[in-house]
Amino acid sequence: MALLEVHNIHTYYDHIHALKGISFELDRGEIVALIGANGAGKTTTLNTISGIRHPREGSIIFDGQPIHHLPAHEIVQLGIAQVPEGRKIFSRLTVMENLDMGAFTRRDRAAIQEDLERVFKLFPRLKERRNQLGGTLSGGEQQMLAIARALMARPRVLLLDEPSMGLAPILVESIFQTITEISQQGMTILLVEQNANMALSVAHRAYVLETGRIVLYGPAAEVRENPQVRAAYLGEA
Amino acid sequence: MSLGLLLRLGIGLLVLAFFAYRFYGVLVRGAYGAETWARLAISGLIIGSVYAVIALGYTLVYGILFMINFAHGEVMMIGAFAGYFVLEAFAASGFSARQPVLAIIITFLAGMTVSMLVGISLERIAYRPLRGAPRLVPLISAIGASIFLQNAAQLMFGSMRRTYSNPPALERNVGWVLEVAGKPVSITYTGVLTFAFSVVLMVGLYLLVQRTRLGRAMRAVAENKEAAALMGVDVDRVIANTFAISGVLAGAAGVMWGLHNGIIYHYVGFIPGLKAFTAAVLGGIGNIPGAMLGGIVLGIAESLTPAVLDMPFQLKDVLAFAVLVLVLIFRPTGILGEVLAEEKV
């Protein structure tokens, strides 16, 4: 059984039908990429899983338990953490406080300390800047902080929304390297990206989203070879 | 520099020059002795500390919901009544005379608890259903809640003015007498209690917001509700807690008001509420140290300005608001206010 199963979800913004029946699943330990153009419904999909939005139809099953009716804060507690689009770090909180917010639902102090060491090993820059306000970090550092903050929840599934957005190519490279590293430690990752090339190079499987529907899916390598995908998302004629 | 800005600064400078001219006259003539200045400064500090405590309630709620809780003054009024009835009972039973310290502590606890419950209900009934509505809508609801609470208090308690029965050990207008320039200046016990407890509340609130899990969650929610929810914060609960805290502060202020000023009635929250709102704006709305500073500055301003300008004391409210306008001319976001820009992405 898959760790996360999304069955035929329909999500609306008032009268706008944003997701028109999306189904996919995530197996333990894999990286699944969700690619598509602006407005295809990628972020809406993540927010529906996270409980920021609720589907009007369909179900989301996490580890055998339906979660689509739960509020966002309970979904984090069950083990699904999101790195939101645009990072959304708390700019008036220090780096340390941001990380503490990541572990907000946890009470296991010793394990939190362990996780703190782990994310500082993953992102030594954050350790140097632990007492700085989040808003004073550079874009790349903010992305690191956003990922580190989500890891502090010790999630079983990590939802990443556009981790490459607004970053210089060299930083994109290093962020994706980190994502691979996190995955190798056993994390299950759902990766939303406009940078399809990058996403397909690290993912195991991929789904292509177009105006609220999944139009194509398969192993990442196959999706990458699909002529339509090459034309539409990889910038190749 | 735009013409509008120049005009604004020009008016500000003119008013400042007028103030300076009047103050110069007062000083040259020696219209008031040192003891008068000391007396005014002390009473300004005391009333300012109450404004500061009330202002914190406005600023906390504004910081999180971007909404002015116009019913906040009424929350204070209800707390003042709760304290009044407890103190009445204690005075009648003789408990106030036997155990004045305990009586005062219980009175404060009663006022703070009742105001806390009013604050929580206010949020649940008048504001939560409007979450997500345009910002003007909860504002109207707040004004409605304010009128509702005033009228409810009038129906329940009548419209007569009631006098707080302080314990004998804490009589109003009794206190220590200092000597300034050979003349007596009294510092009342109720004034000292009011100022000291206000400081305790302010320090307590600051520590709560800076050092505790709830405080961190409040700051996170203030910055970005969605991101806070993604961290596992129950945003609705944090908002309810914020109203509870601001209610506790208002209740404490209500009891202090009653003990120090003596008279309460159903309308007693309105002017202090308005002044405290002014104080919060003066300090920079949404900013916690700003609300504290704004309260103290406003209290001192309303107490000293009539003397500084050699004008009748009855004009103190007008002059206090003139000080607000003056500050906003030079610092539109308040003394400690930051630019209220949306967070940088």
Side-chain angles (χ1 to χ4, degrees):
Chain A
M1 194 182 57
L3 182 57
L4 184 73
E5 301 169 37
V6 174
H7 294 297
N8 191 33
I9 54 169
H10 292 258
T11 303
Y12 291 73
Y13 292 88
D14 291 324
H15 300 296
I16 300 164
H17 196 172
L19 300 185
K20 300 164 184 159
I22 287 187
S23 303
F24 63 91
E25 48 184 53
L26 233 65
D27 282 316
R28 284 182 179 74
E30 63 174 351
I31 302 183
V32 170
L34 214 52
I35 60 176
N38 246 340
K42 305 187 300 292
T43 297
T44 308
T45 304
L46 290 196
N47 282 343
T48 307
I49 296 172
S50 278
I52 297 278
R53 300 257 148 212
H54 294 282
R56 210 174 274 184
E57 262 180 71
S59 64
I60 303 172
I61 314 289
F62 176 58
D63 206 9
Q65 186 191 348
I67 59 165
H68 46 271
H69 56 279
L70 296 178
H73 60 99
E74 285 179 32
I75 288 173
V76 184
Q77 208 153 8
L78 289 176
I80 302 180
Q82 190 193 133
V83 179
E85 186 180 9
R87 331 191 208 300
K88 304 228 165 57
I89 59 149
F90 302 110
S91 58
R92 278 172 285 168
L93 269 58
T94 64
V95 168
M96 234 1 245
E97 287 176 322
N98 268 280
L99 295 173
D100 283 339
M101 282 309 298
F104 188 78
T105 58
R106 299 173 59 188
R107 302 283 183 173
D108 45 343
R109 281 172 183 273
I112 292 174
Q113 195 55 42
E114 255 171 50
D115 286 350
L116 195 61
E117 304 289 325
R118 208 161 56 92
V119 300
F120 278 154
K121 216 159 109 192
L122 210 51
F123 303 109
R125 282 295 276 280
L126 295 182
K127 190 170 187 177
E128 292 166 30
R129 301 182 183 253
R130 58 202 296 172
N131 295 321
Q132 244 171 273
L133 290 184
T136 64
L137 300 185
S138 71
E141 290 164 346
Q142 290 192 6
Q143 188 62 59
M144 293 176 197
L145 178 57
I147 295 174
R149 188 179 62 174
L151 289 176
M152 288 302 292
R154 196 175 269 198
R156 285 191 286 162
V157 173
L158 187 64
L159 312 177
L160 285 163
D161 199 349
E162 304 272 5
S164 75
M165 194 170 90
L167 297 186
I170 185 152
L171 282 171
V172 174
E173 199 82 43
S174 99
I175 290 284
F176 272 87
Q177 210 165 351
T178 312
I179 293 170
T180 312
E181 226 171 289
I182 296 167
S183 159
Q184 278 160 1
Q185 292 170 10
M187 183 70 69
T188 308
I189 297 173
L190 179 59
L191 173 63
V192 155
E193 260 301 342
Q194 281 200 53
N195 187 338
N197 208 358
M198 236 20 224
L200 292 175
S201 71
V202 299
H204 303 111
R205 293 189 302 121
Y207 293 82
V208 178
L209 218 56
E210 235 166 60
T211 56
R213 286 193 182 86
I214 286 171
V215 292
L216 184 75
Y217 63 94
E222 270 177 36
V223 171
R224 205 176 182 182
E225 292 312 315
N226 182 293
Q228 278 155 298
V229 171
R230 294 177 70 102
Y233 303 109
L234 301 177
E236 294 169 26
Chain B
M1 241 199 253
S2 71
L3 192 65
L5 184 65
L6 272 176
L7 197 64
R8 201 179 73 198
L9 293 181
I11 292 170
L13 287 173
L14 269 178
V15 174
L16 261 188
F18 172 72
F19 277 23
Y21 165 74
R22 296 287 298 198
F23 189 36
Y24 179 72
V26 168
L27 286 181
V28 165
R29 282 185 293 116
Y32 303 100
E35 80 286 355
T36 306
W37 292 113
R39 230 174 265 150
L40 292 173
I42 289 167
S43 79
L45 209 56
I46 292 165
I47 194 71
S49 69
V50 180
Y51 291 158
V53 170
I54 308 173
L56 283 171
Y58 281 103
T59 241
L60 280 175
V61 167
Y62 185 87
I64 286 189
L65 288 181
F66 298 106
M67 182 204 107
I68 306 296
N69 177 14
F70 271 117
H72 190 57
E74 276 57 53
V75 177
M76 172 209 153
M77 175 270 294
I78 303 274
F81 268 104
Y84 166 84
F85 287 114
V86 169
L87 216 47
E88 276 299 286
F90 285 167
S93 69
F95 184 69
S96 287
R98 275 179 280 123
Q99 294 280 357
V101 176
L102 209 55
I104 290 296
I105 290 174
I106 296 173
T107 304
F108 270 111
L109 288 179
M112 289 155 88
T113 310
V114 169
S115 285
M116 177 181 83
L117 296 177
V118 174
I120 294 171
S121 321
L122 201 58
E123 191 268 332
R124 187 57 67 84
I125 297 165
Y127 306 144
R128 190 177 298 186
L130 301 174
R131 190 109 4 108
R135 275 168 63 179
L136 210 54
V137 178
L139 196 71
I140 301 294
S141 185
I143 293 170
S146 161
I147 295 170
F148 171 81
L149 287 173
Q150 275 169 19
N151 284 289
Q154 188 176 12
L155 274 176
M156 285 190 292
F157 313 130
S159 47
M160 72 275 214
R161 293 168 181 252
R162 295 162 186 265
T163 310
Y164 251 59
S165 16
N166 290 17
L170 198 68
E171 285 294 353
R172 270 183 298 285
N173 304 320
V174 176
W176 295 285
V177 177
L178 295 181
E179 208 159 281
V180 176
K183 303 236 173 67
V185 173
S186 78
I187 302 181
T188 59
Y189 299 136
T190 55
V192 171
L193 175 74
T194 298
F195 184 75
F197 191 45
S198 296
V199 171
V200 168
L201 288 170
M202 288 188 252
V203 171
L205 180 80
Y206 189 78
L207 292 178
L208 179 112
V209 169
Q210 290 300 324
R211 301 278 166 83
T212 67
R213 196 175 117 91
L214 171 63
R216 209 160 51 224
M218 285 167 67
R219 286 184 287 145
V221 169
E223 208 169 310
N224 190 325
K225 288 180 192 53
E226 202 169 287
L230 286 177
M231 301 298 112
V233 176
D234 183 345
V235 174
D236 277 339
R237 219 173 101 191
V238 168
I239 292 172
N241 280 324
T242 305
F243 274 87
I245 293 167
S246 90
V248 164
L249 294 171
V255 173
M256 292 192 282
W257 188 273
L259 288 171
H260 186 63
N261 290 350
I263 309 266
I264 63 160
Y265 54 109
H266 64 283
Y267 212 55
V268 77
F270 184 71
I271 293 292
L274 202 59
K275 294 265 183 70
F277 168 55
T278 306
V281 173
L282 193 64
I285 187 111
N287 182 309
I288 288 173
M292 303 181 189
L293 187 65
I296 302 281
V297 168
L298 188 74
I300 291 181
E302 80 170 35
S303 187
L304 285 184
T305 316
V308 166
L309 301 182
D310 199 15
M311 287 181 179
F313 191 67
Q314 284 84 341
L315 288 181
K316 74 183 168 80
D317 289 354
V318 177
L319 295 174
F321 288 112
V323 169
L324 169 79
V325 172
L326 203 55
V327 169
L328 293 185
I329 281 176
F330 292 104
R331 280 197 61 89
T333 56
I335 305 172
L336 297 183
E338 326 149 43
V339 185
L340 290 171
E342 288 300 299
E343 91 269 26
K344 289 162 249 147
V345 174

